[in-house]
mmCIF file of all heavy atoms in Angstrom:
data_model
loop_
_atom_site.group_PDB
_atom_site.id
_atom_site.type_symbol
_atom_site.label_atom_id
_atom_site.label_comp_id
_atom_site.label_asym_id
_atom_site.label_seq_id
_atom_site.Cartn_x
_atom_site.Cartn_y
_atom_site.Cartn_z
ATOM 1 N N CYS A 148 57.828 -44.509 -3.175
ATOM 2 C CA CYS A 148 57.953 -44.869 -1.764
ATOM 3 C C CYS A 148 58.683 -46.182 -1.548
ATOM 4 O O CYS A 148 58.662 -46.749 -0.460
ATOM 5 C CB CYS A 148 56.533 -44.952 -1.124
ATOM 6 S SG CYS A 148 55.725 -43.330 -1.086
ATOM 7 N N GLY A 149 59.284 -46.706 -2.599
ATOM 8 C CA GLY A 149 60.099 -47.935 -2.465
ATOM 9 C C GLY A 149 61.554 -47.582 -2.334
ATOM 10 O O GLY A 149 61.900 -46.481 -1.860
ATOM 11 N N GLY A 150 62.419 -48.473 -2.765
ATOM 12 C CA GLY A 150 63.862 -48.177 -2.777
ATOM 13 C C GLY A 150 64.413 -47.816 -1.428
ATOM 14 O O GLY A 150 64.478 -48.660 -0.517
ATOM 15 N N ARG A 151 64.798 -46.560 -1.246
ATOM 16 C CA ARG A 151 65.409 -46.124 -0.014
ATOM 17 C C ARG A 151 64.537 -46.369 1.226
ATOM 18 O O ARG A 151 65.032 -46.762 2.247
ATOM 19 C CB ARG A 151 65.776 -44.629 -0.123
ATOM 20 C CG ARG A 151 66.495 -44.099 1.109
ATOM 21 C CD ARG A 151 66.646 -42.598 1.026
ATOM 22 N NE ARG A 151 67.389 -42.162 -0.165
ATOM 23 C CZ ARG A 151 67.598 -40.895 -0.462
ATOM 24 N NH1 ARG A 151 67.140 -39.927 0.304
ATOM 25 N NH2 ARG A 151 68.257 -40.558 -1.572
ATOM 26 N N LEU A 152 63.249 -46.109 1.084
ATOM 27 C CA LEU A 152 62.377 -46.292 2.225
ATOM 28 C C LEU A 152 62.217 -47.748 2.597
ATOM 29 O O LEU A 152 62.161 -48.097 3.781
ATOM 30 C CB LEU A 152 61.003 -45.661 1.953
ATOM 31 C CG LEU A 152 61.012 -44.116 1.775
ATOM 32 C CD1 LEU A 152 59.630 -43.633 1.499
ATOM 33 C CD2 LEU A 152 61.542 -43.469 3.027
ATOM 34 N N ARG A 153 62.139 -48.597 1.598
ATOM 35 C CA ARG A 153 62.056 -50.056 1.902
ATOM 36 C C ARG A 153 63.390 -50.518 2.491
ATOM 37 O O ARG A 153 63.418 -51.437 3.297
ATOM 38 C CB ARG A 153 61.725 -50.834 0.615
ATOM 39 C CG ARG A 153 60.306 -50.603 0.131
ATOM 40 C CD ARG A 153 59.945 -51.534 -0.975
ATOM 41 N NE ARG A 153 58.609 -51.272 -1.490
ATOM 42 C CZ ARG A 153 57.478 -51.706 -0.949
ATOM 43 N NH1 ARG A 153 57.542 -52.458 0.147
ATOM 44 N NH2 ARG A 153 56.327 -51.422 -1.482
ATOM 45 N N GLY A 154 64.459 -49.923 2.077
ATOM 46 C CA GLY A 154 65.757 -50.292 2.655
ATOM 47 C C GLY A 154 65.939 -49.820 4.080
ATOM 48 O O GLY A 154 66.907 -50.216 4.737
ATOM 49 N N ALA A 155 65.018 -48.941 4.552
ATOM 50 C CA ALA A 155 65.113 -48.460 5.931
ATOM 51 C C ALA A 155 64.351 -49.329 6.904
ATOM 52 O O ALA A 155 64.209 -48.944 8.067
ATOM 53 C CB ALA A 155 64.527 -47.037 5.959
ATOM 54 N N MET A 156 63.901 -50.495 6.468
ATOM 55 C CA MET A 156 63.095 -51.368 7.328
ATOM 56 C C MET A 156 63.865 -51.709 8.593
ATOM 57 O O MET A 156 63.294 -51.794 9.679
ATOM 58 C CB MET A 156 62.720 -52.623 6.591
ATOM 59 C CG MET A 156 61.724 -52.396 5.465
ATOM 60 S SD MET A 156 60.057 -51.957 6.065
ATOM 61 C CE MET A 156 59.549 -53.528 6.755
ATOM 62 N N GLY A 157 65.180 -51.918 8.525
ATOM 63 C CA GLY A 157 65.929 -52.308 9.709
ATOM 64 C C GLY A 157 66.605 -51.151 10.420
ATOM 65 O O GLY A 157 67.347 -51.369 11.387
ATOM 66 N N GLN A 158 66.327 -49.920 9.977
ATOM 67 C CA GLN A 158 66.968 -48.761 10.593
ATOM 68 C C GLN A 158 66.199 -48.282 11.813
ATOM 69 O O GLN A 158 64.977 -48.459 11.898
ATOM 70 C CB GLN A 158 67.061 -47.609 9.580
ATOM 71 C CG GLN A 158 68.029 -47.864 8.427
ATOM 72 C CD GLN A 158 68.095 -46.649 7.501
ATOM 73 O OE1 GLN A 158 67.336 -45.721 7.633
ATOM 74 N NE2 GLN A 158 69.037 -46.708 6.546
ATOM 75 N N GLY A 159 66.933 -47.658 12.741
ATOM 76 C CA GLY A 159 66.271 -47.038 13.839
ATOM 77 C C GLY A 159 65.759 -45.652 13.478
ATOM 78 O O GLY A 159 66.006 -45.150 12.368
ATOM 79 N N PHE A 163 66.819 -43.030 10.270
ATOM 80 C CA PHE A 163 65.814 -42.634 9.305
ATOM 81 C C PHE A 163 65.695 -41.130 9.220
ATOM 82 O O PHE A 163 65.606 -40.522 8.145
ATOM 83 C CB PHE A 163 64.441 -43.218 9.642
ATOM 84 C CG PHE A 163 63.359 -42.842 8.666
ATOM 85 C CD1 PHE A 163 63.179 -43.547 7.489
ATOM 86 C CD2 PHE A 163 62.523 -41.776 8.962
ATOM 87 C CE1 PHE A 163 62.192 -43.197 6.589
ATOM 88 C CE2 PHE A 163 61.526 -41.414 8.058
ATOM 89 C CZ PHE A 163 61.351 -42.126 6.873
ATOM 90 N N GLN A 166 68.107 -39.185 6.923
ATOM 91 C CA GLN A 166 68.005 -39.343 5.473
ATOM 92 C C GLN A 166 67.538 -38.045 4.856
ATOM 93 O O GLN A 166 66.749 -37.290 5.430
ATOM 94 C CB GLN A 166 67.058 -40.476 5.084
ATOM 95 C CG GLN A 166 67.548 -41.849 5.504
ATOM 96 C CD GLN A 166 66.681 -42.918 4.864
ATOM 97 O OE1 GLN A 166 66.861 -43.251 3.686
ATOM 98 N NE2 GLN A 166 65.776 -43.467 5.611
ATOM 99 N N TYR A 186 57.662 -43.381 14.766
ATOM 100 C CA TYR A 186 58.342 -44.205 13.768
ATOM 101 C C TYR A 186 58.571 -45.610 14.277
ATOM 102 O O TYR A 186 59.036 -45.823 15.385
ATOM 103 C CB TYR A 186 59.718 -43.545 13.450
ATOM 104 C CG TYR A 186 60.601 -44.384 12.575
ATOM 105 C CD1 TYR A 186 60.532 -44.347 11.207
ATOM 106 C CD2 TYR A 186 61.555 -45.217 13.147
ATOM 107 C CE1 TYR A 186 61.354 -45.114 10.388
ATOM 108 C CE2 TYR A 186 62.423 -45.979 12.363
ATOM 109 C CZ TYR A 186 62.296 -45.924 10.982
ATOM 110 O OH TYR A 186 63.140 -46.681 10.184
ATOM 111 N N ASN A 188 59.228 -48.341 11.481
ATOM 112 C CA ASN A 188 60.236 -48.598 10.481
ATOM 113 C C ASN A 188 59.897 -47.745 9.288
ATOM 114 O O ASN A 188 58.964 -46.977 9.290
ATOM 115 C CB ASN A 188 60.334 -50.113 10.142
ATOM 116 C CG ASN A 188 59.011 -50.656 9.666
ATOM 117 O OD1 ASN A 188 58.384 -50.115 8.730
ATOM 118 N ND2 ASN A 188 58.555 -51.747 10.282
ATOM 119 N N GLY A 189 60.687 -47.890 8.207
ATOM 120 C CA GLY A 189 60.501 -47.046 7.037
ATOM 121 C C GLY A 189 59.155 -47.145 6.403
ATOM 122 O O GLY A 189 58.751 -46.242 5.669
ATOM 123 N N MET A 190 58.403 -48.221 6.675
ATOM 124 C CA MET A 190 57.108 -48.419 5.995
ATOM 125 C C MET A 190 55.950 -48.468 6.968
ATOM 126 O O MET A 190 54.807 -48.744 6.565
ATOM 127 C CB MET A 190 57.163 -49.726 5.189
ATOM 128 C CG MET A 190 58.344 -49.821 4.220
ATOM 129 S SD MET A 190 58.402 -48.474 3.013
ATOM 130 C CE MET A 190 56.983 -48.907 2.018
#
Side-chain angles (χ1 to χ4, degrees):
C148 295
R151 182 188 302 177
L152 294 179
R153 291 188 182 277
M156 291 291 288
Q158 291 181 352
F163 180 83
Q166 293 192 80
Y186 171 85
N188 57 53
M190 308 301 291

